[in-house]
Amino acid sequence: MRRHPLLLTMTSSLSRLAVLASLVLPLAMLPALAEAATRIDVNDGWQFRTDPKDEGVAAGWTAAVPANTRSVSVPHTWNADTEPDVDFEGTGWYFRRLDLTLPLAAEVHVELNFGAAFYRSRVWLNGVEVGQHEGGHTAHAFDITGLLRRGQPNLLVVAVDNRPTASSIPGHAMRLAGSGSVWYDWWHFGGLVRDVWLSVGDGALVRRQTLRATLSGALAGRGIGEAPAQVDARVELENASPRARRLQVVTTAFAPDGATAASARQPLQLPAGGKGSADLRLAIARPRLWNIGDGQLYRVVTELQDEQGQVLDTRSDTLGLRRIELRDRKLWVNDRPVRLTGLTRHEDTPWEGLAETRGSILHDWDDLRALHTTLTRPVHYPQPPAVLDYADRHGILLVPEIPVWQFSEAQLKDPRVQALAERMLGEMIAADGNHASIFAWSVCNESDTRLPGGLDYVRRMKAAVRRLDPARFFTFADSDVSIAPWRDNAALHEADFLMANAYFGSWSGAAEQVEPWLDFIQKTYPEKALVISEYGFVGPFAPNAAEADRQRIANLRQQLDAFARRDFVAGAIFWIYQDYKSHRNLAVGETAGYVDHGVVDEHRQRKPSYAAYQERNAPLTARLGWAWEGEGLSGFQAVLQANGAAQLPSYPLLGYRAEWRMTDRDGRLIGQGAQGLPDLAAPFTLQGRWPAEKGLPAATLRLRVLAPDGALALESRLEQAALRLGAAPFPAEAKPAPASPAPIPDAAAPVDR
């Protein structure tokens, strides 16, 4: 679906009765409408107010704008620190005017789309309720064709309620009811927290394409597969028009460099108001492989055409060609075992809350990549498209999760919870299932899965994953398994691999208990790979923030070393990148604030633990040394090698490159160079040369190793003092100090040492 930026005409000021800003859509003048559906963003021009007394429906706000509204743009949350309603819990109301000029004779079909609305939403158009949605992190849409007034003002109204309950997801953490604390761990940011847009077409719709790739032949150590890749595309279609239609589906795959890689087509007929599907198969020769740190992506475009070949609707998705397996208690990517690390990140900034802009997302994910993130369970809820696209393009593996957080057995047995969880899972998989970065789905976190009702919930959700996306793995995050006395959990045997939250050094017990706990895991689950889904150190366990970060550094190093010694630990995910807003895990006496748990604070200021984490998680090592010609410095050599299987992290470093720069003591350039690197599974010696100079100048060598996506994998520095080769830094025998200070030599004059 394509965007048409020229469709929007905004008015700068309107009276309250005129309702907000105006959107004028001269669709009768658009030849593009006959070619493909058009996306029209409606993020600007909204009016907003809260409803502390829950009087909006009774007061008629569904059909008229009340007093005391203010102008906002979406994505928006009223709970950001910059908002006047930062602490409000309840219903917020959004109002927007839509003026549309639609061709009366054309079969125009209009849908209203929400990227996400947290948490419960109701939508009205011209006073008529369009629909409702529950769940704060998944996209949803409503058909508004029959409710639009053509050539007249239309009033769009959305009411959003952010209050949790025992049966909402996320909801009250009822397994904690005995402690009197039933809030979940992150903030309930109410609002239209992602984009809102209209899609306008003629009723022939591509609802979804599901892409599955199969790779044959050996892949280890290669960036290109030798055997063709087979891509199967299931295209789901709908004919919303009142007449039967003869159509054809054309699916084309474009290689990472933009060249056409494969194409297929299929004719079909759809009845009036009917649905259908088409199955197409593409064969891609010499496929470029998606790898860790190297997100090579194909673009698959499906066009729905009429009998004359005119495009009625399109759908475009990216696709990564890779093989991901679990065998021998290890995670394999393209026939190579990998051990990966990363950090989680909440969608939370003081200035935007959950309603993040793309710039905030990219800033943080660039930082996560700088911290060598190659694996993460991004956080407890479905992510926006910008996050998934970033992970796809940078070769990061993800385990998305629905926000069933610390639910009791009673909640997990509740039919309302089960139905809502299954629907959320289905919405997440439907929206995100083509992303190359996703290799597994998680269905809950720290909940009562050990009990019979929890086991039934896990089995029900496992069956849903197998039905909806059989090509990916099923798992969930458990915390009870790491709390003494350690006991088996039957539900964990249902998972394809274990995910355990292991906070040794705080909630799980003493830091040194991690070793016997890992022995317990090895014995109890002898066929399961283990991903540490959370570890880290929370601030309130220390007397102050500075001491907390010192303990955080010691903890992450000690825990990662312990995880590395067990080869069945396939990954470890640090909790968390940034401090985040919460009602829980705060200093004594605080009921709201920012949890001290990240390597950066809520304003993204780096703590000492940032550098410690970055250093500990580098994927390779470098040993640097100088090269000499006579008494002159003539170059360097660097022995580079990827971490081995006994280390964490470790993964193939394919397509990496090195850049070096040599400067003298005054910062003048002596030499520089760049070189592509081979597979660094074996040591590789990189050499740099420049003309030798008499004497030995003070010099600095800076070496950088970069991943294919441009991320910094390693930076090393080598210093050389201004001494003649073999000389001692001080005379062998001390001499008496002169009676008066010696004059300082002219900086431009040579100094004989």
Side-chain angles (χ1 to χ4, degrees), residues 25-28 100-105 108 110 145 148-151 200:
L25 308 176
L27 298 179
L100 296 94
T101 303
L102 299 175
L104 297 178
V108 175
V110 184
T145 306
L148 284 170
R149 297 170 179 164
R150 304 189 179 198
V200 183

Side-chain angles (χ1 to χ4, degrees), residues 348-367:
D348 183 348
T349 66
W351 50 93
E352 291 173 345
L354 178 64
E356 292 184 317
T357 58
R358 182 176 176 82
S360 295
I361 292 170
L362 295 182
H363 171 276
D364 286 1
W365 277 85
D366 281 345
D367 224 13

Side-chain angles (χ1 to χ4, degrees), residues 602-623:
E602 66 270 26
H603 298 290
R604 278 46 178 179
Q605 298 302 300
R606 295 175 179 177
K607 307 175 187 179
S609 55
Y610 180 101
Y613 184 94
Q614 187 178 52
E615 178 184 16
R616 174 58 184 79
N617 285 274
L620 77 160
T621 58
R623 300 194 308 273

Side-chain angles (χ1 to χ4, degrees), residues 730-739:
F730 299 100
E733 297 181 4
K735 295 181 180 180

Side-chain angles (χ1 to χ4, degrees), residues 31-151:
L33 185 59
E35 298 173 1
T38 299
R39 169 170 169 153
I40 307 168
D41 289 323
V42 290
N43 283 344
D44 297 326
W46 293 86
Q47 293 293 114
F48 171 80
R49 67 156 295 172
T50 57
D51 186 6
K53 299 179 181 179
D54 280 327
E55 62 183 347
V57 174
W61 295 3
T62 61
V65 183
N68 300 320
T69 62
R70 66 177 187 270
S71 297
V72 300
S73 295
V74 301
H76 173 262
T77 175
W78 63 80
N79 299 118
D81 288 357
T82 55
E83 291 283 322
D85 303 301
V86 58
D87 294 322
F88 179 70
E89 297 170 13
T91 302
W93 288 76
Y94 293 84
F95 309 89
R96 197 188 196 288
R97 174 173 163 170
L98 306 176
D99 290 347
L100 296 94
T101 303
L102 299 175
L104 297 178
E107 297 171 350
V108 175
H109 182 80
V110 184
E111 293 186 356
L112 173 65
N113 299 265
F114 296 90
F118 193 93
Y119 165 72
R120 291 181 180 86
S121 62
R122 297 177 67 184
V123 181
W124 294 265
L125 185 63
N126 300 323
V128 178
E129 186 163 6
V130 175
Q132 305 181 17
H133 184 264
E134 180 174 358
H137 305 280
T138 49
H140 49 283
F142 304 101
D143 181 355
I144 60 172
T145 306
L147 296 176
L148 284 170
R149 297 170 179 164
R150 304 189 179 198

Side-chain angles (χ1 to χ4, degrees), residues 358 361-362 384-391:
R358 182 176 176 82
I361 292 170
L362 295 182
V387 167
L388 303 175
D389 291 341
Y390 189 98

Side-chain angles (χ1 to χ4, degrees), residues 481-518:
V481 73
S482 65
I483 299 174
W486 306 317
R487 295 171 293 170
D488 187 11
N489 179 354
L492 286 173
H493 292 277
E494 299 288 336
D496 293 318
F497 63 93
L498 306 181
M499 287 206 308
N501 299 347
Y503 285 99
F504 290 96
S506 56
W507 288 303
S508 298
E512 60 271 15
Q513 285 294 101
V514 67
E515 297 279 4
W517 174 72
L518 289 167

Side-chain angles (χ1 to χ4, degrees), residues 292 324-333 336-342 372-377 397-399 439-440 473 475 496-500 517-518 521-522 525 527-535 559-574 613 616-617 644-652:
I292 301 299
I324 298 180
E325 300 171 288
L326 289 168
R327 49 188 168 93
D328 304 326
R329 302 189 77 187
K330 295 179 178 63
L331 179 64
W332 298 71
V333 177
R336 297 275 290 268
V338 299
R339 306 182 72 192
L340 308 176
T341 60
H372 312 299
T373 294
T374 52
L375 166 70
T376 183
R377 166 173 151 256
L397 287 183
L398 304 179
V399 187
F439 81 103
F473 300 116
T475 191
D496 293 318
F497 63 93
L498 306 181
M499 287 206 308
W517 174 72
L518 289 167
I521 293 292
Q522 186 167 17
Y525 307 98
E527 298 179 354
K528 302 287 186 183
L530 170 65
V531 169
I532 306 297
S533 41
E534 295 180 28
Y535 73 103
Q559 294 293 297
L560 275 175
D561 289 347
F563 301 151
R565 286 190 284 270
R566 302 304 201 282
D567 64 358
F568 62 88
V569 177
I573 304 171
F574 184 85
Y613 184 94
R616 174 58 184 79
N617 285 274
Q647 295 170 280
L648 183 66
S650 64
Y651 48 91

